[in-house]
Amino acid sequence: MFKQLREDIASIFERDPAARTSWEVLFCYPGLHAIYLHKLARWCWLHGLRWLGRVVSQFGRWVTGIEIHPGATIGRHVFIDHGMGVVIGETAEVGDECTIYQGVTLGGTSLYRGTKRHPTLGKNVVVGAGAKILGGFMVGDGARIGSNAVVVKEVPPGATVVGVPGRIIEEPSAQKQARFAAYGVVQGDDPYATAIKTLVEHSHELEQAVATLTERLRHLEERAEKEQADSARAEQLRAIK
C-alpha cells in the first residue's frame, strides 16, 4: 500500500508543477484522498457490503467534493486535480495514468440497470475542467478532452476533442509522440477556426477583385462616352462644312 502511495505521489509531481513536497500532496490534495477513499468503498462494494460502500463514497464526496461511485473502476496513478465537482458513475472505467480536472462528469445516458451506462477511459487520457463524457463508449488511449467539451460518442486513441457537441480537432497519428496536455489544451489552431479564417481572407480578396473590376469598367465607360461625344462633334463639323 505504501509503495502504491509513493507511486501516486510521484505521478502527481510529474503532472502538477504546483506540488512542492510529499507532505503537501499527502495532506492537501483532495484528488488523492478521493482515490484512496474509493479504494475502501470499492472493497466494500465487491465484498457484498454495498450499503457501506455507498456510505464511504458519500463520506468521500462530503470531505473532498469528488463523487466516485463504489462500482466504478479506477486504474493506477489516476490524478484528479483540484477535483471539486467531479462525478464518476457506477459503470465508469478510468485507465492508468489518466488526469481528470475539476467539474468533470463521467455520466450515463441509459436508465437500464446491468448495462454499461458510463464511459471507459483508456490509459493516459486527459479530461479538461468542466468536460462531460456521457454514455457507455470508449475514449481511446492518450485522448485529450478539452475543457467544457460535451462528448457523446467514441473517441479514437490519441485524438483531441473540443466543443459542444464534442468534435475532433486533432486526428490521431502514429508518428505523433504522446504528450501530456494540461486541461486537454493543445498548442496550435483549431482547424475549423483556420478554415473560417481562410474563408474570410478569401472573401476580402474577392472584394478587392470586384472593386478593381468596377473601377476598370467605370474608366471604360467614361472613355466610351468621351469617344462618342468626340464622334458626335466631328459629325456636326462635317455637316456644317
Side-chain angles (χ1 to χ4, degrees):
M1 178 178 175
F2 290 105
K3 178 182 178 182
Q4 179 65 50
L5 180 60
R6 285 194 296 270
E7 291 178 358
D8 288 334
I9 292 174
S11 72
I12 291 173
F13 275 108
E14 292 174 0
R15 285 174 275 178
D16 185 9
R20 292 177 176 82
T21 67
S22 297
W23 288 108
E24 179 183 0
V25 172
L26 185 60
F27 286 99
C28 301
Y29 276 61
L32 183 65
H33 306 156
I35 292 295
Y36 278 82
L37 284 169
H38 171 71
K39 291 179 184 294
L40 175 58
R42 176 75 172 165
W43 185 91
C44 295
W45 185 266
L46 294 178
H47 287 79
L49 305 173
R50 297 203 165 185
W51 177 84
L52 184 59
R54 289 303 302 269
V55 169
V56 174
S57 171
Q58 288 302 301
F59 174 75
R61 177 179 182 270
W62 177 64
V63 170
T64 66
I66 299 167
E67 181 175 345
I68 307 176
H69 193 285
T73 301
I74 307 296
R76 294 169 60 85
H77 308 154
V78 172
F79 177 32
I80 302 177
D81 197 1
H82 303 295
M84 182 62 70
V86 168
V87 177
I88 300 176
E90 178 183 5
T91 61
E93 299 176 44
V94 180
D96 298 345
E97 306 288 344
C98 286
T99 303
I100 298 173
Y101 290 90
Q102 66 272 17
V104 166
T105 298
L106 304 184
T109 56
S110 171
L111 298 179
Y112 296 101
R113 293 183 181 179
T115 61
K116 175 67 168 140
R117 309 189 310 275
H118 302 85
T120 296
L121 306 187
K123 297 179 180 179
N124 296 299
V125 174
V126 178
V127 186
K132 316 299 178 189
I133 306 176
L134 309 175
F137 52 83
M138 180 74 184
V139 177
D141 296 351
R144 290 165 295 188
I145 311 300
S147 297
N148 296 315
V150 177
V151 183
V152 294
K153 60 183 180 180
E154 186 167 340
V155 178
T160 299
V161 177
V162 301
V164 181
R167 66 183 189 275
I168 296 174
I169 65 165
E170 187 176 1
E171 294 287 350
S173 171
Q175 290 76 31
K176 184 178 69 176
Q177 183 178 2
R179 63 188 188 281
F180 176 72
Y183 289 92
V185 174
V186 295
Q187 301 299 321
D189 293 331
D190 181 339
Y192 288 87
T194 302
I196 293 172
K197 180 180 178 182
T198 302
L199 288 173
V200 170
E201 292 175 350
H202 186 57
S203 176
H204 288 164
E205 292 175 358
L206 289 175
E207 289 176 359
Q208 292 175 356
V210 169
T212 301
L213 288 173
T214 302
E215 184 68 17
R216 289 182 179 178
L217 285 173
R218 188 178 65 80
H219 286 309
L220 289 173
E221 288 175 356
E222 291 177 352
R223 182 177 176 182
E225 290 175 357
K226 183 178 180 182
E227 289 178 352
Q228 187 176 3
D230 292 342
S231 177
R233 280 195 296 270
E235 288 292 335
Q236 289 175 358
L237 290 175
R238 283 196 296 271
I240 293 172
K241 293 179 179 178

